[in-house]
Amino acid sequence: MTTRVLVRASRACPEDEGIGRALNKLFRERAVRRPGFSGCWAGTTLPGGHKVVESYSVAGAKITIASTADGGGMLYHAMPWEYGLPDSWISALSKVIQRISFLPPPSLSISMDELRSHVTSSSARLFRNLCSGGGLDLGSGIEERESTIKKLSEVVARYTVGLGLFEVLLADDRIEDVYVDAPSEENPVHVTVNGISGTNALCRCLTNITVSEDEVAKLASRLRQSSGRPFSEAFPVMETDIEGQESRATIIGPPLSPGGTAVALRRHSRTPWTLLKLASNGSMDARTAGLLSFLMDGRSTMLICGARGAGKSSLLSAMMFEFPLSQRILAIEDTLELPTRRMQSLGYKVQSLFVETRMDQSNEEAADQALRVSLRLGESAIVLGEVRGKEAQTLYQSMRAGRAGSSVLGTIHGDSAASVYERVVHDMGIPKEAFLATDLVLTMGLSRPGGGSRPVRRLIEVAECREENGRVLFHQLMSPGTGTLDDGIGSSRIVSRIASSWNLTVREAMANIQARADMRQVLLDAAASRGPQYLEPEWVYRCNEYLWNRLDAGDRDYARIASDFRSFVLGR
């Protein structure tokens, strides 16, 4: 059951009234609530002087994002549905949660979905028994009672076989990261939120949630059991994907973390990114999206760099939808976040290779082994979730020998094309001649417009790799600091090479790029007036297929193709 503490200022002395009001305000703002079945405290009220930025609901929880009174910080305030229930319901929840532990599943080999289904159905039966015995009132009618039982049973599953209050946070599509610093009971949970007020600005917010050390230990235990990975003083780091939550967890404990166990949860996007979505939120413009589509269609080799959280994986996922439907794709990743299943549903030929490390094998060794296997699977485009070290040597050796397939796409840490060159050549030991197998380096950056506190994701560099007089140079296709393409892309050697392979002049290639840009602008306009469905992968596929079908029919009037596509979209 919940425990409530009520503090009242004495009114015996008139001179104490100011102190009394101050104390009441203090306790009101610092009041926290924690049902007995949860290991997380949640502040019940927003601080004084706050300004609400947005308010919405997620998984039954009321979410409020607010700026603090001084405007210097942001607060992510979450009040789960189960935290506001009557005492009798919370007492019943605690009883059912306790009894569920004595109802084993029908099999020890069932999946997590099957286990949750077993828990919810068993919980519903227990709640109905409590109602029939007269000890619990969950509504006046059958329909109302069954609806309440369903919601209560989902709460039971969340706090038994699930992740508790963490599931509420991970259910919010705007949250990208959840952090619990040690010692957990002294540090509120903080989160990274994207997409506030329709922008692509990142906000780092404190929350009203504090987690007990027992709850953190319980989370670590569940992930250790589900992943089969060790976690102890001898192995103080555990990294694993969270089944059913489309997230990845990194947990560190003593002695590496002397203050106790700390947690970082990275939530993957539930809906795939596309270049249209990135253009819609301001990460690039339609002309840049058109160029990237052209380069992908032309089987270019590209590395995407940027700091952590800059959007490398988002751009990588978006670029994959620009492959021709006939292109076979091999996706190598150690975190399952690339949109392979969505691509397969659209008819793309994609094979995923999941790199799962073992105790006797490092990430680099596992990735290198997966890459070597991919090179024996026939002609394919290779997509690397992250280029780290040992596998880079195998990759560049294969590209130089012509065995790396039609194109290569991957992410790498770095903040510019020059820094990527330094890392690949000097840190990884790749000869500079081999590095020139890289056609382009794209840099995603976190900029702070006007020096504000909220960083914004943008594509800040499109650099073409060139060799001149024995030196590796970078020809910039994007004007520095503007986020728009330079007018000199017509002098790009990559564009010229693709044009030659397609039997086009450079001028015709530029018209092809402009048509792709115009067609994407049509979809951006449609999304603004009709809805975001025009930014989804299905419309990227339709857009590219429309262009290819017209070109296959011998039509080379690019302006007319873009105009007809506008009529096609408006007709839909």
Side-chain angles (χ1 to χ4, degrees):
M1 295 182 65
T2 54
T3 301
R4 293 188 175 90
V5 178
L6 179 63
V7 179
R8 288 181 180 152
S10 171
R11 299 185 61 84
C13 301
E15 60 268 25
D16 288 341
E17 288 186 0
I19 298 176
R21 284 195 299 271
L23 283 174
N24 278 331
K25 180 176 182 293
L26 176 67
F27 281 108
R28 212 169 34 245
E29 291 185 357
R30 297 192 177 184
V32 295
R33 182 175 297 169
R34 181 178 74 86
F37 53 80
S38 174
C40 299
W41 290 273
T44 57
T45 58
L46 288 161
H50 70 277
K51 181 180 179 181
V52 174
V53 178
E54 283 200 34
S55 184
Y56 53 95
S57 295
V58 169
K62 182 181 179 182
I63 308 298
T64 303
I65 299 176
S67 60
T68 55
D70 57 6
M74 299 290 290
L75 175 68
Y76 182 95
H77 188 278
M79 185 51 60
W81 174 75
E82 59 269 21
Y83 273 54
L85 297 178
D87 283 353
S88 60
W89 290 20
I90 290 180
S91 177
L93 266 171
S94 299
K95 291 178 182 178
V96 171
I97 288 173
Q98 185 177 15
R99 293 177 64 179
I100 279 293
S101 61
F102 298 99
L103 297 175
S107 170
L108 295 178
S109 60
I110 63 175
S111 67
M112 179 56 69
D113 288 340
E114 292 172 328
L115 180 59
R116 288 189 79 113
S117 178
H118 164 75
V119 169
T120 53
S121 60
S122 300
S123 302
R125 185 171 63 252
L126 292 173
F127 280 120
R128 292 189 189 100
N129 291 340
L130 288 174
C131 289
S132 62
L136 183 64
D137 182 10
L138 295 179
S140 55
I142 295 178
E143 188 173 331
E144 180 184 353
R145 185 164 60 248
E146 285 300 313
S147 175
T148 302
I149 287 175
K150 181 181 178 181
K151 293 170 69 174
L152 291 173
S153 300
E154 290 171 352
V155 171
V156 173
R158 183 184 303 160
Y159 288 92
T160 52
V161 297
L163 304 179
L165 189 51
F166 288 108
E167 285 195 6
V168 174
L169 299 178
L170 294 176
D172 189 346
D173 287 339
R174 298 188 178 186
I175 284 185
E176 297 190 353
D177 299 283
V178 178
Y179 299 106
V180 181
D181 295 331
S184 61
E185 294 185 357
E186 299 177 16
N187 295 289
V189 175
H190 52 110
V191 297
T192 302
V193 183
N194 189 18
I196 295 178
S197 301
T199 70
N200 70 335
L202 289 177
C203 290
R204 296 179 174 91
C205 309
L206 277 178
T207 73
N208 61 320
I209 299 167
T210 307
V211 186
S212 69
E213 294 180 4
D214 287 344
E215 185 72 5
V216 174
K218 189 187 300 183
L219 173 65
S221 178
R222 287 174 183 166
L223 295 179
R224 180 178 58 207
Q225 182 179 13
S226 62
S227 68
R229 297 174 184 265
F231 183 67
S232 61
E233 288 193 3
F235 300 94
V237 179
M238 177 173 59
E239 292 184 280
T240 180
D241 288 312
I242 306 176
E243 184 181 356
Q245 296 298 324
E246 294 160 328
S247 305
R248 185 165 182 82
T250 300
I251 301 181
I252 59 173
L256 184 61
S257 173
T261 303
V263 179
L265 305 178
R266 178 74 169 173
R267 201 186 69 78
H268 310 321
S269 176
R270 287 186 172 85
T271 58
W273 282 96
T274 63
L275 295 183
L276 290 168
K277 289 184 180 180
L278 292 172
S280 177
N281 71 14
S283 296
M284 65 178 68
D285 59 16
R287 189 168 180 233
T288 303
L291 173 64
L292 296 182
S293 174
F294 176 86
L295 294 171
M296 287 300 298
D297 196 0
R299 299 186 172 187
S300 302
T301 294
M302 290 181 261
L303 291 178
I304 301 169
C305 73
R308 188 184 187 280
K312 298 186 299 295
S313 297
S314 300
L315 179 56
L316 179 67
S317 298
M319 297 281 278
M320 291 177 68
F321 288 104
E322 301 296 336
F323 277 119
L325 204 63
S326 59
Q327 174 67 66
R328 185 166 184 255
I329 307 165
L330 299 176
I332 304 171
E333 54 183 333
D334 60 3
T335 300
L336 295 175
E337 55 183 334
L338 294 178
T340 53
R341 297 297 293 273
R342 184 68 173 272
M343 295 184 74
Q344 288 172 343
S345 70
L346 291 173
Y348 288 89
K349 305 173 183 66
V350 188
Q351 173 62 53
S352 177
L353 282 75
F354 178 49
V355 178
E356 188 171 18
T357 57
R358 305 188 304 269
M359 291 177 60
D360 61 341
Q361 189 180 44
S362 68
N363 280 346
E364 292 182 3
E365 291 172 332
D368 183 60
Q369 183 180 13
L371 178 58
R372 291 180 182 275
V373 170
S374 72
L375 296 174
R376 299 195 295 270
L377 292 178
E379 196 281 332
S380 306
I382 296 175
V383 179
L384 278 170
E386 183 176 350
V387 178
R388 289 191 179 88
K390 186 175 181 180
E391 78 279 8
Q393 297 181 357
T394 302
L395 177 66
Y396 277 100
Q397 288 171 2
S398 302
M399 286 194 291
R400 288 193 75 189
R403 295 188 296 109
S406 55
S407 64
V408 176
L409 191 63
T411 67
I412 188 170
H413 284 288
D415 57 12
S416 66
S419 69
V420 168
Y421 172 77
E422 292 293 325
R423 185 176 180 208
V424 171
V425 174
H426 297 296
D427 297 344
M428 298 180 182
I430 306 299
K432 65 179 182 181
E433 295 80 10
F435 178 80
L436 286 167
T438 306
D439 292 324
L440 299 116
V441 178
L442 313 181
T443 304
M444 290 294 293
L446 289 170
S447 60
R448 294 169 54 186
S453 62
R454 301 180 190 176
V456 174
R457 291 187 176 117
R458 283 205 181 109
L459 178 64
I460 59 175
E461 183 183 41
V462 179
E464 179 179 293
C465 305
R466 293 183 176 183
E467 181 183 16
E468 293 184 8
N469 300 322
R471 299 172 56 202
V472 175
L473 301 177
F474 296 101
H475 174 63
Q476 300 294 337
L477 304 184
M478 179 172 281
S479 300
T482 65
T484 58
L485 292 182
D486 192 282
D487 291 335
I489 61 172
S491 62
S492 163
R493 294 178 183 177
I494 304 301
V495 171
S496 178
R497 187 196 69 197
I498 295 172
S500 178
S501 68
W502 291 355
N503 197 26
L504 300 176
T505 65
V506 171
R507 185 172 181 176
E508 288 173 327
M510 295 298 294
N512 186 300
I513 294 171
Q514 187 60 51
R516 293 170 188 261
D518 292 341
M519 294 168 75
R520 278 150 183 78
Q521 188 61 56
V522 168
L523 294 176
L524 290 170
D525 294 341
S529 61
R530 296 184 176 186
Q533 67 270 19
Y534 290 94
L535 307 176
E536 295 298 327
E538 290 80 1
W539 273 103
V540 175
Y541 164 74
R542 288 173 186 161
C543 180
N544 289 334
E545 281 291 297
Y546 190 94
L547 176 63
W548 291 324
N549 289 337
R550 293 288 291 267
L551 295 177
D552 288 342
D555 190 350
R556 295 295 184 270
D557 189 336
Y558 293 103
R560 183 173 60 193
I561 292 174
S563 177
D564 290 349
F565 181 71
R566 177 178 295 275
S567 299
F568 168 74
V569 172
L570 294 178
R572 300 280 294 208

